[in-house]
Amino acid sequence: VLVSRFVNFIQNHGLSPDRIVAITFTEKAAQEMRQRVVRALDQKYSEDQFWISTIHAFCYRILSEHVWEADLSPDFSILTAEEALFLRDRLIRDQLKALRQKGEASASYLERLYGFSGLKALVRECFNKQDLLNTMREKHLQDPLSKEIWGHLRNVFDRLRSAYDAEKKNAGVCDFDDLLLKCRDLFKNYPEISLDYRKRF
C-alpha cells in the first residue's frame, strides 16, 4: 500500500520524490520499500533520492543538514543501543562513586536506603523510563517520606543525566533518543527551519 501511494504521487500527481516522506518501523522495511519504489518507477530514480526511512533515520538526516543549529559536531555519529547502554552504565557507576567520595547528600541518603547496587539499578531504571520520576512525584506527593526520596532521586538523576549528555557531546555521538529530542528541539528553537520542511514535504 505504501509503495503504491508513493508511486501514485509521483506518476499521477507530478510530485518530485524528495517531496514525499514515508516512515517505516525498521530499517529492513525501509530498504525493501526503497527497492520496490525504484523498481515500480522503472529505475528512473536512485534510492538516495527518497525520504523513506525509520523515524530515527529521518531525524538523523534532518539533523545532519543543520548540525550548527542543533549544536552537534559536523561528523557526529550514532551509538548503537549496546554502545549507549555500555556508556551509560559505566557513567552511572563512576558518577555514583564520585558522589559517594564527595559525600554528596542526596546520593548518600539514597545509598543508605537502597545500597550501592540498588541505587545503581534505580538510576538505570530512571534512564530507561524517564517519566518514572514524574509518576513517583504524582503518586506519592502526599507522603512526606516518598516526597523526600523523590527529591533526592531527582537530584541524583539530573546530575547523572547532565554528565551523560556532556560525555556524548564531547565524544561527538548521539543515542537514539537524542535523534528524536534534538530534532524536536531544532524545530522548536528554529521555527523557520520547521516551516522550510513543512513546505518541502
Side-chain angles (χ1 to χ4, degrees):
V1 171
L2 284 176
V3 171
S4 297
R5 286 187 177 186
F6 204 101
V7 171
N8 180 53
F9 278 129
I10 295 169
Q11 289 182 333
N12 301 322
H13 297 274
L15 283 180
S16 171
D18 61 0
R19 295 206 52 212
I20 310 165
V21 172
I23 301 296
T24 67
F25 189 67
T26 65
E27 185 49 49
K28 183 180 178 183
Q31 178 67 25
E32 183 180 343
M33 185 175 169
R34 285 192 295 268
Q35 291 169 350
R36 287 187 182 193
V37 169
V38 168
R39 285 197 301 269
L41 294 169
D42 298 324
Q43 317 288 328
K44 289 178 183 174
Y45 303 96
S46 60
E47 287 185 30
D48 59 4
Q49 290 178 269
F50 303 122
W51 285 73
I52 301 172
S53 68
T54 62
I55 189 66
H56 291 95
F58 176 74
C59 291
Y60 174 78
R61 190 166 173 180
I62 291 172
L63 290 170
S64 297
E65 293 183 358
H66 300 282
V67 287
W68 184 84
E69 295 91 342
D71 193 26
L72 289 166
S73 168
D75 56 349
F76 80 96
S77 59
I78 308 303
L79 294 170
T80 65
E82 293 77 16
E83 289 169 337
L85 188 61
F86 177 81
L87 174 65
R88 203 174 64 198
D89 281 355
R90 179 178 58 76
L91 183 132
I92 290 171
R93 183 195 67 227
D94 294 349
Q95 289 291 316
L96 286 178
K97 283 182 179 177
L99 290 175
R100 173 200 272 172
Q101 288 172 352
K102 290 177 186 173
E104 197 277 330
S106 289
S108 299
Y109 176 89
L110 292 168
E111 191 173 344
R112 282 197 302 273
L113 282 179
Y114 300 105
F116 189 76
S117 296
L119 179 53
K120 274 198 307 184
L122 190 57
V123 172
R124 189 179 299 118
E125 185 68 10
C126 289
F127 270 102
N128 292 338
K129 300 176 182 172
Q130 291 187 38
D131 58 344
L132 177 68
L133 291 175
N134 293 325
T135 302
M136 282 178 62
R137 180 177 61 176
E138 290 160 11
K139 255 175 121 176
H140 304 295
L141 205 55
Q142 305 309 314
D143 180 343
L145 178 60
S146 294
K147 190 175 179 183
E148 186 176 6
I149 291 171
W150 178 87
H152 286 299
L153 184 57
R154 176 93 251 179
N155 187 27
V156 169
F157 176 72
D158 285 347
R159 286 169 179 251
L160 269 61
R161 177 84 228 186
S162 295
Y164 178 57
D165 289 342
E167 183 123 349
K168 287 183 293 180
K169 185 172 183 180
N170 290 337
V173 297
C174 291
D175 61 24
F176 287 127
D177 286 344
D178 291 329
L179 293 175
L180 306 180
L181 297 173
K182 286 182 180 296
C183 196
R184 178 202 64 184
D185 291 344
L186 176 71
F187 289 152
K188 279 174 66 176
N189 297 332
Y190 295 90
E192 67 278 11
I193 293 176
S194 176
L195 183 61
D196 178 56
Y197 283 105
R198 288 186 196 186
K199 289 178 179 177
R200 184 189 302 192
F201 298 126

